[in-house]
């Protein structure tokens, strides 16, 4: 099923980086931005809710929208793609899992070498002082206030028009630059700067592997474009990679 050159390359590679996007969580039923616009929220445009401006105008509305999305995500469980990636971490001495997802499902599946480019919906941060927290009480005031400075708490995610966390971006770029193999999985590869990472890795000589049921703007650069669902391809690839040589004869 997989090209033997790809498998032998993977069996000897030491430095691997992976970029994941919404497609990896699709099989867990995590709704994308658009899918989350149902019921009460159907008339709101996500681009109008996930912005610093929206939060300034109506912090309670934005807080409620994220509480709704957080509840949808809380019901989701990791899928075979998340578990396969967690297992891959143990196979390579230098492995980085760069994700654009805010759902924390990679961590739930056991991955540890995670670089969260767009934040994490399970954390909040103070809109004033930037301190983060993973527990809060919004039973009295919405949004609740920062216990350090009294500023309003907001989800610790990257909104439209905001910069990515500089440390995460820096680590992601370094991982892309030193990778011998770079996987781009379940991402439309259009949102910058994440979309530049596969290009950067390719330029530095990495083998670029895409896993996606559809073509994306980086498909023409990919050495291997594996068409299909991440939850099916990744476990099969892991199995093929780790199968004992003798069994392959
Ligand atoms: N397996 C693999 N890929 C899949 C699957 C699947 N089962 N299902 C869908 N896909 C692919 C789609 O073909 C598409 O290319 O996942 C990609 C999802 O693309 P987007 O929805 O654009 O998600 P992503 O690339 O993560 O978006 C980047 O944009 O919405 C903002 O900040 C948000 O982090 C997000 C960023």
């Amino acid at each position: 099923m997989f090209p033997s050159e790809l498998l032998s390359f993977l069996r000897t590679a030491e430095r691997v980086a992976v970029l994941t996007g919404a497609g990896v969580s699709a099989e867990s039923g995590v709704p994308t931005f658009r899918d989350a616009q149902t019921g009460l929220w159907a008339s709101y445009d996500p681009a109008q809710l996930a912005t610093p401006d929206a939060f300034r105008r109506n912090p309670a509305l934005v807080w409620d929208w994220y509480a709704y999305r957080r509840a949808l995500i809380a019901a989701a469980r990791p899928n075979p793609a998340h578990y396969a990636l967690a297992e891959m971490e143990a196979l390579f001495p230098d492995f980085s899992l760069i994700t654009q997802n805010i759902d924390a499902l990679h961590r739930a599946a056991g991955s540890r070498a995670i670089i969260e480019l767009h934040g994490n919906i399970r954390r909040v941060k103070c809109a004033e002082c930037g301190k983060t927290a993973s527990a809060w009480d919004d039973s009295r005031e919405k949004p609740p206030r920062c216990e350090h400075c009294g500023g309003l708490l907001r989800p610790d995610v990257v909104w439209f028009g905001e910069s990515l966390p500089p440390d995460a971006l820096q680590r992601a770029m370094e991982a892309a630059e030193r990778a011998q193999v770079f996987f781009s999985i379940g991402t439309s590869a259009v949102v910058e700067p994440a979309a530049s990472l596969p290009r950067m890795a390719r330029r530095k000589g990495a083998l670029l592997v895409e896993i996606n049921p559809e073509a994306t703007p980086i498909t023409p650069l990919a050495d291997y474009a594996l068409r299909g669902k991440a939850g099916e391809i990744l476990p099969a690839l892991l199995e093929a990679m780790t199968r004992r040589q003798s069994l392959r004869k």
Side-chain angles (χ1 to χ4, degrees):
M1 177 187 182
F2 299 102
S4 54
E5 306 83 34
L6 171 62
L7 294 178
S8 34
F9 203 90
L10 283 171
R11 286 195 186 106
T12 54
E14 300 204 327
R15 299 182 303 280
V16 172
V18 179
L19 173 67
T20 65
V24 166
S25 292
E27 291 160 77
S28 293
V30 173
T32 63
F33 254 24
R34 296 279 160 196
D35 295 340
Q37 297 315 104
T38 54
L40 279 179
W41 295 99
S43 61
Y44 290 93
D45 175 359
Q48 302 299 319
L49 289 167
T51 70
D53 241 18
F55 189 71
R56 266 191 295 275
R57 271 199 310 272
N58 195 339
L61 178 79
V62 173
W63 181 266
D64 279 342
W65 185 56
Y66 275 93
Y68 166 71
R69 293 184 64 206
R70 199 179 287 120
L72 294 175
I73 285 172
R77 296 288 166 267
N79 68 56
H82 295 107
Y83 289 116
L85 287 169
E87 280 189 50
M88 276 169 72
E89 185 171 329
L91 296 181
F92 302 101
D94 179 347
F95 183 85
S96 303
L97 178 51
I98 307 160
T99 188
Q100 299 166 88
N101 299 340
I102 59 170
D103 55 34
L105 288 178
H106 285 304
R107 183 160 292 274
S111 283
R112 288 298 170 259
I114 308 168
I115 301 174
E116 288 174 333
L117 283 183
H118 292 174
N120 186 325
I121 200 170
R122 297 182 194 201
R123 281 194 313 262
V124 292
K125 72 174 176 190
C126 175
E128 299 302 323
C129 74
K131 285 226 164 60
T132 59
S134 42
W136 58 88
D137 172 14
D138 63 357
S139 59
R140 279 168 302 162
E141 213 181 344
K142 264 196 262 185
R145 292 192 174 269
C146 171
E147 59 184 36
H148 304 282
C149 77
L152 293 181
L153 293 180
R154 52 163 282 182
D156 187 11
V157 299
V158 177
W159 281 334
F160 289 109
E162 290 188 317
S163 309
L164 273 59
D167 173 59
L169 183 57
Q170 181 64 31
R171 286 189 296 132
M173 290 193 306
E174 286 168 6
E177 290 196 330
R178 66 177 188 268
Q180 294 165 303
V181 185
F182 190 99
F183 286 92
S184 180
I185 310 178
T187 175
S188 56
V190 288
V191 177
E192 292 293 350
S196 295
L197 295 169
R199 293 189 175 85
M200 202 178 278
R202 188 75 189 73
R203 238 187 349 260
K204 290 278 181 176
L207 190 83
L208 181 57
V209 184
E210 178 174 62
I211 301 178
N212 197 312
E214 287 170 24
T216 74
I218 66 139
T219 305
L221 296 178
D223 296 283
Y224 298 98
L226 308 177
R227 290 273 159 265
K229 294 181 173 180
E232 290 167 8
I233 292 186
L234 275 170
L237 183 62
L238 184 70
E239 210 268 325
M241 254 169 67
T242 52
R243 202 180 301 149
R244 287 216 324 274
Q245 301 281 329
S246 56
L247 294 179
R248 293 194 304 128
K249 290 190 179 134

